[in-house]
Amino acid sequence: MSSTDYVGYCFGSLVYVSGLAAYAIKKNKVSLGIGSLFGGLAILGAYEASKEPDEPFIAAANAGGLSGVMIVKHMSEMKRGSKASGFGITVLSMVMCSRYCVNIYNGLTSAPTNKK
């Protein structure tokens, strides 16, 4: 039995709730959609990372994708001169992507084991 990825579940919940909050405060449907999509995929990725901690491919791809989407969003907001919101989620998604990539690297470099 492998350990549960509580940090991944918290990350997915935070992304989802952030999307809901952006919709509730600013009536921003795009933030609701992005928060729902990436939050749900983060929770799915955390579930997969709990089953296979050395192969969290869904979680790493999701966190990297969210980082990319948020960085592009911040760059476009800065070009328009408006305040960039969601900077904390951007940094957190980059940290989570790094965390999952380290787990993948450690899983690829470790000695193979017989899984039954």
Side-chain angles (χ1 to χ4, degrees):
M1 184 80 185
S2 60
S3 63
T4 304
D5 185 17
Y6 291 114
V7 176
Y9 285 119
C10 290
F11 170 66
S13 300
L14 182 67
V15 170
Y16 182 72
V17 169
S18 296
L20 286 176
Y23 179 72
I25 294 170
K26 298 180 182 178
K27 301 296 183 212
N28 190 343
K29 293 180 183 177
V30 174
S31 293
L32 176 65
I34 288 174
S36 298
L37 176 69
F38 283 104
L41 285 174
I43 292 171
L44 175 66
Y47 173 75
E48 291 293 324
S50 296
K51 289 191 338 187
E52 293 288 336
D54 293 338
E55 300 175 356
F57 297 118
I58 294 173
N62 179 56
L66 179 58
S67 296
V69 167
M70 293 297 286
I71 288 170
V72 168
K73 175 185 167 243
H74 292 313
M75 288 174 30
S76 68
E77 286 178 352
M78 285 182 192
K79 284 181 184 175
R80 286 183 292 181
S82 62
K83 181 184 174 217
S85 59
F87 186 71
I89 295 294
T90 305
V91 172
L92 185 61
S93 64
M94 287 189 280
V95 169
M96 290 300 290
C97 183
S98 300
R99 175 180 178 260
Y100 287 128
C101 288
V102 167
N103 288 352
I104 292 170
Y105 177 76
N106 289 337
L108 293 176
T109 59
S110 65
T113 58
N114 288 336
K115 294 182 184 178
K116 290 186 179 183

